[in-house]
PDB file of all heavy atoms in Angstrom:
ATOM      1  N   GLU A 101      15.173  12.631  -0.028  1.00 57.00           N
ATOM      2  CA  GLU A 101      14.821  13.478   1.113  1.00 57.00           C
ATOM      3  C   GLU A 101      14.760  14.962   0.741  1.00 57.00           C
ATOM      4  O   GLU A 101      14.243  15.777   1.489  1.00 57.00           O
ATOM      5  CB  GLU A 101      15.775  13.255   2.298  1.00 57.00           C
ATOM      6  CG  GLU A 101      17.224  13.488   2.004  1.00 57.00           C
ATOM      7  CD  GLU A 101      17.965  12.243   1.507  1.00 57.00           C
ATOM      8  OE1 GLU A 101      17.338  11.202   1.268  1.00 57.00           O
ATOM      9  OE2 GLU A 101      19.179  12.330   1.335  1.00 57.00           O
ATOM     10  N   ASP A 102      15.284  15.334  -0.447  1.00 57.00           N
ATOM     11  CA  ASP A 102      15.229  16.725  -0.892  1.00 57.00           C
ATOM     12  C   ASP A 102      13.903  17.072  -1.566  1.00 57.00           C
ATOM     13  O   ASP A 102      13.656  18.236  -1.875  1.00 57.00           O
ATOM     14  CB  ASP A 102      16.383  17.037  -1.852  1.00 57.00           C
ATOM     15  CG  ASP A 102      17.727  17.030  -1.153  1.00 57.00           C
ATOM     16  OD1 ASP A 102      17.751  17.260   0.076  1.00 57.00           O
ATOM     17  OD2 ASP A 102      18.742  16.787  -1.819  1.00 57.00           O
ATOM     18  N   LEU A 103      13.055  16.075  -1.812  1.00 58.00           N
ATOM     19  CA  LEU A 103      11.747  16.323  -2.419  1.00 58.00           C
ATOM     20  C   LEU A 103      10.749  16.702  -1.345  1.00 58.00           C
ATOM     21  O   LEU A 103      10.489  15.940  -0.432  1.00 58.00           O
ATOM     22  CB  LEU A 103      11.242  15.071  -3.149  1.00 58.00           C
ATOM     23  CG  LEU A 103      11.889  14.757  -4.473  1.00 58.00           C
ATOM     24  CD1 LEU A 103      11.398  13.411  -4.977  1.00 58.00           C
ATOM     25  CD2 LEU A 103      11.585  15.830  -5.494  1.00 58.00           C
ATOM     26  N   LEU A 104      10.205  17.898  -1.444  1.00 59.00           N
ATOM     27  CA  LEU A 104       9.221  18.359  -0.478  1.00 59.00           C
ATOM     28  C   LEU A 104       7.924  18.671  -1.191  1.00 59.00           C
ATOM     29  O   LEU A 104       7.915  19.222  -2.283  1.00 59.00           O
ATOM     30  CB  LEU A 104       9.691  19.641   0.209  1.00 59.00           C
ATOM     31  CG  LEU A 104      10.729  19.512   1.298  1.00 59.00           C
ATOM     32  CD1 LEU A 104      11.109  20.894   1.812  1.00 59.00           C
ATOM     33  CD2 LEU A 104      10.230  18.662   2.445  1.00 59.00           C
ATOM     34  N   ASP A 105       6.833  18.338  -0.570  1.00 61.00           N
ATOM     35  CA  ASP A 105       5.525  18.758  -1.024  1.00 61.00           C
ATOM     36  C   ASP A 105       5.153  19.980  -0.197  1.00 61.00           C
ATOM     37  O   ASP A 105       5.681  20.187   0.897  1.00 61.00           O
ATOM     38  CB  ASP A 105       4.507  17.636  -0.782  1.00 61.00           C
ATOM     39  CG  ASP A 105       3.825  17.184  -2.049  1.00 61.00           C
ATOM     40  OD1 ASP A 105       4.218  17.640  -3.131  1.00 61.00           O
ATOM     41  OD2 ASP A 105       2.901  16.364  -1.946  1.00 61.00           O
ATOM     42  N   GLU A 106       4.237  20.778  -0.702  1.00 60.00           N
ATOM     43  CA  GLU A 106       3.821  21.993  -0.002  1.00 60.00           C
ATOM     44  C   GLU A 106       3.440  21.713   1.453  1.00 60.00           C
ATOM     45  O   GLU A 106       3.850  22.417   2.360  1.00 60.00           O
ATOM     46  CB  GLU A 106       2.624  22.618  -0.715  1.00 60.00           C
ATOM     47  CG  GLU A 106       2.909  23.060  -2.114  1.00 60.00           C
ATOM     48  CD  GLU A 106       1.632  23.361  -2.890  1.00 60.00           C
ATOM     49  OE1 GLU A 106       0.532  23.193  -2.352  1.00 60.00           O
ATOM     50  OE2 GLU A 106       1.761  23.771  -4.043  1.00 60.00           O
ATOM     51  N   ASP A 107       2.651  20.690   1.665  1.00 66.00           N
ATOM     52  CA  ASP A 107       2.131  20.414   3.003  1.00 66.00           C
ATOM     53  C   ASP A 107       3.164  19.815   3.954  1.00 66.00           C
ATOM     54  O   ASP A 107       2.904  19.707   5.154  1.00 66.00           O
ATOM     55  CB  ASP A 107       0.916  19.487   2.915  1.00 66.00           C
ATOM     56  CG  ASP A 107      -0.256  20.168   2.222  1.00 66.00           C
ATOM     57  OD1 ASP A 107      -0.302  21.407   2.228  1.00 66.00           O
ATOM     58  OD2 ASP A 107      -1.113  19.459   1.671  1.00 66.00           O
ATOM     59  N   ASP A 108       4.330  19.438   3.453  1.00 72.00           N
ATOM     60  CA  ASP A 108       5.362  18.864   4.316  1.00 72.00           C
ATOM     61  C   ASP A 108       5.862  19.863   5.359  1.00 72.00           C
ATOM     62  O   ASP A 108       6.414  19.467   6.377  1.00 72.00           O
ATOM     63  CB  ASP A 108       6.552  18.364   3.489  1.00 72.00           C
ATOM     64  CG  ASP A 108       6.234  17.132   2.672  1.00 72.00           C
ATOM     65  OD1 ASP A 108       5.184  16.497   2.920  1.00 72.00           O
ATOM     66  OD2 ASP A 108       7.025  16.793   1.766  1.00 72.00           O
ATOM     67  N   LEU A 109       5.688  21.163   5.106  1.00 82.00           N
ATOM     68  CA  LEU A 109       6.205  22.182   6.021  1.00 82.00           C
ATOM     69  C   LEU A 109       5.159  22.697   7.006  1.00 82.00           C
ATOM     70  O   LEU A 109       5.470  23.514   7.871  1.00 82.00           O
ATOM     71  CB  LEU A 109       6.793  23.346   5.216  1.00 82.00           C
ATOM     72  CG  LEU A 109       7.978  22.962   4.324  1.00 82.00           C
ATOM     73  CD1 LEU A 109       8.436  24.143   3.488  1.00 82.00           C
ATOM     74  CD2 LEU A 109       9.133  22.418   5.144  1.00 82.00           C
ATOM     75  N   VAL A 110       3.929  22.230   6.897  1.00 86.00           N
ATOM     76  CA  VAL A 110       2.889  22.625   7.853  1.00 86.00           C
ATOM     77  C   VAL A 110       3.312  22.151   9.239  1.00 86.00           C
ATOM     78  O   VAL A 110       3.738  21.016   9.425  1.00 86.00           O
ATOM     79  CB  VAL A 110       1.513  22.040   7.456  1.00 86.00           C
ATOM     80  CG1 VAL A 110       0.493  22.245   8.561  1.00 86.00           C
ATOM     81  CG2 VAL A 110       1.028  22.655   6.156  1.00 86.00           C
ATOM     82  N   GLY A 111       3.227  23.062  10.210  1.00 91.00           N
ATOM     83  CA  GLY A 111       3.637  22.753  11.577  1.00 91.00           C
ATOM     84  C   GLY A 111       5.040  23.233  11.909  1.00 91.00           C
ATOM     85  O   GLY A 111       5.436  23.221  13.075  1.00 91.00           O
ATOM     86  N   TYR A 112       5.792  23.662  10.898  1.00 91.00           N
ATOM     87  CA  TYR A 112       7.136  24.173  11.147  1.00 91.00           C
ATOM     88  C   TYR A 112       7.059  25.578  11.742  1.00 91.00           C
ATOM     89  O   TYR A 112       6.219  26.385  11.374  1.00 91.00           O
ATOM     90  CB  TYR A 112       7.953  24.228   9.853  1.00 91.00           C
ATOM     91  CG  TYR A 112       8.622  22.926   9.471  1.00 91.00           C
ATOM     92  CD1 TYR A 112       7.888  21.764   9.250  1.00 91.00           C
ATOM     93  CD2 TYR A 112       9.999  22.862   9.323  1.00 91.00           C
ATOM     94  CE1 TYR A 112       8.496  20.580   8.899  1.00 91.00           C
ATOM     95  CE2 TYR A 112      10.629  21.677   8.961  1.00 91.00           C
ATOM     96  CZ  TYR A 112       9.871  20.547   8.760  1.00 91.00           C
ATOM     97  OH  TYR A 112      10.487  19.366   8.411  1.00 91.00           O
ATOM     98  N   GLN A 113       7.957  25.850  12.685  1.00 95.00           N
ATOM     99  CA  GLN A 113       8.095  27.163  13.302  1.00 95.00           C
ATOM    100  C   GLN A 113       8.930  28.033  12.352  1.00 95.00           C
ATOM    101  O   GLN A 113       9.974  27.599  11.869  1.00 95.00           O
ATOM    102  CB  GLN A 113       8.826  27.010  14.640  1.00 95.00           C
ATOM    103  CG  GLN A 113       8.894  28.242  15.471  1.00 95.00           C
ATOM    104  CD  GLN A 113       7.637  28.433  16.286  1.00 95.00           C
ATOM    105  OE1 GLN A 113       6.890  27.514  16.546  1.00 95.00           O
ATOM    106  NE2 GLN A 113       7.388  29.652  16.678  1.00 95.00           N
ATOM    107  N   VAL A 114       8.462  29.255  12.067  1.00 94.00           N
ATOM    108  CA  VAL A 114       9.211  30.181  11.208  1.00 94.00           C
ATOM    109  C   VAL A 114       9.922  31.189  12.095  1.00 94.00           C
ATOM    110  O   VAL A 114       9.302  31.838  12.936  1.00 94.00           O
ATOM    111  CB  VAL A 114       8.277  30.898  10.206  1.00 94.00           C
ATOM    112  CG1 VAL A 114       9.069  31.890   9.366  1.00 94.00           C
ATOM    113  CG2 VAL A 114       7.582  29.877   9.313  1.00 94.00           C
ATOM    114  N   VAL A 115      11.241  31.294  11.899  1.00 94.00           N
ATOM    115  CA  VAL A 115      12.068  32.184  12.706  1.00 94.00           C
ATOM    116  C   VAL A 115      12.630  33.279  11.811  1.00 94.00           C
ATOM    117  O   VAL A 115      13.186  33.005  10.735  1.00 94.00           O
ATOM    118  CB  VAL A 115      13.230  31.404  13.372  1.00 94.00           C
ATOM    119  CG1 VAL A 115      14.148  32.334  14.140  1.00 94.00           C
ATOM    120  CG2 VAL A 115      12.674  30.313  14.270  1.00 94.00           C
ATOM    121  N   ASP A 116      12.471  34.540  12.244  1.00 92.00           N
ATOM    122  CA  ASP A 116      13.047  35.685  11.539  1.00 92.00           C
ATOM    123  C   ASP A 116      14.547  35.699  11.852  1.00 92.00           C
ATOM    124  O   ASP A 116      14.950  35.873  13.002  1.00 92.00           O
ATOM    125  CB  ASP A 116      12.380  36.976  12.013  1.00 92.00           C
ATOM    126  CG  ASP A 116      12.899  38.211  11.308  1.00 92.00           C
ATOM    127  OD1 ASP A 116      13.768  38.092  10.417  1.00 92.00           O
ATOM    128  OD2 ASP A 116      12.428  39.316  11.651  1.00 92.00           O
ATOM    129  N   ALA A 117      15.363  35.476  10.842  1.00 90.00           N
ATOM    130  CA  ALA A 117      16.814  35.342  11.026  1.00 90.00           C
ATOM    131  C   ALA A 117      17.445  36.628  11.558  1.00 90.00           C
ATOM    132  O   ALA A 117      18.391  36.570  12.347  1.00 90.00           O
ATOM    133  CB  ALA A 117      17.477  34.928   9.717  1.00 90.00           C
ATOM    134  N   ALA A 118      16.947  37.785  11.154  1.00 87.00           N
ATOM    135  CA  ALA A 118      17.551  39.061  11.557  1.00 87.00           C
ATOM    136  C   ALA A 118      17.435  39.278  13.072  1.00 87.00           C
ATOM    137  O   ALA A 118      18.365  39.769  13.708  1.00 87.00           O
ATOM    138  CB  ALA A 118      16.898  40.215  10.814  1.00 87.00           C
ATOM    139  N   ASN A 119      16.292  38.897  13.643  1.00 86.00           N
ATOM    140  CA  ASN A 119      16.051  39.136  15.070  1.00 86.00           C
ATOM    141  C   ASN A 119      16.090  37.866  15.898  1.00 86.00           C
ATOM    142  O   ASN A 119      15.950  37.929  17.120  1.00 86.00           O
ATOM    143  CB  ASN A 119      14.682  39.810  15.268  1.00 86.00           C
ATOM    144  CG  ASN A 119      14.543  41.063  14.447  1.00 86.00           C
ATOM    145  OD1 ASN A 119      15.466  41.854  14.370  1.00 86.00           O
ATOM    146  ND2 ASN A 119      13.396  41.232  13.814  1.00 86.00           N
ATOM    147  N   ASN A 120      16.242  36.714  15.244  1.00 89.00           N
ATOM    148  CA  ASN A 120      16.197  35.407  15.889  1.00 89.00           C
ATOM    149  C   ASN A 120      14.957  35.267  16.782  1.00 89.00           C
ATOM    150  O   ASN A 120      15.025  34.825  17.917  1.00 89.00           O
ATOM    151  CB  ASN A 120      17.476  35.143  16.683  1.00 89.00           C
ATOM    152  CG  ASN A 120      17.659  33.650  16.927  1.00 89.00           C
ATOM    153  OD1 ASN A 120      17.232  32.827  16.116  1.00 89.00           O
ATOM    154  ND2 ASN A 120      18.271  33.302  18.040  1.00 89.00           N
ATOM    155  N   VAL A 121      13.801  35.671  16.201  1.00 91.00           N
ATOM    156  CA  VAL A 121      12.544  35.615  16.935  1.00 91.00           C
ATOM    157  C   VAL A 121      11.522  34.839  16.104  1.00 91.00           C
ATOM    158  O   VAL A 121      11.520  34.916  14.873  1.00 91.00           O
ATOM    159  CB  VAL A 121      12.031  37.046  17.271  1.00 91.00           C
ATOM    160  CG1 VAL A 121      11.597  37.791  16.029  1.00 91.00           C
ATOM    161  CG2 VAL A 121      10.931  37.010  18.290  1.00 91.00           C
TER     162      VAL A 121
END
Side-chain angles (χ1 to χ4, degrees):
E101 57 270 6
D102 291 335
L103 285 173
L104 282 177
D105 238 7
E106 297 166 358
D107 294 336
D108 290 346
L109 298 176
V110 170
Y112 276 59
Q113 187 84 21
V114 178
V115 176
D116 181 1
N119 306 317
N120 200 30
V121 69

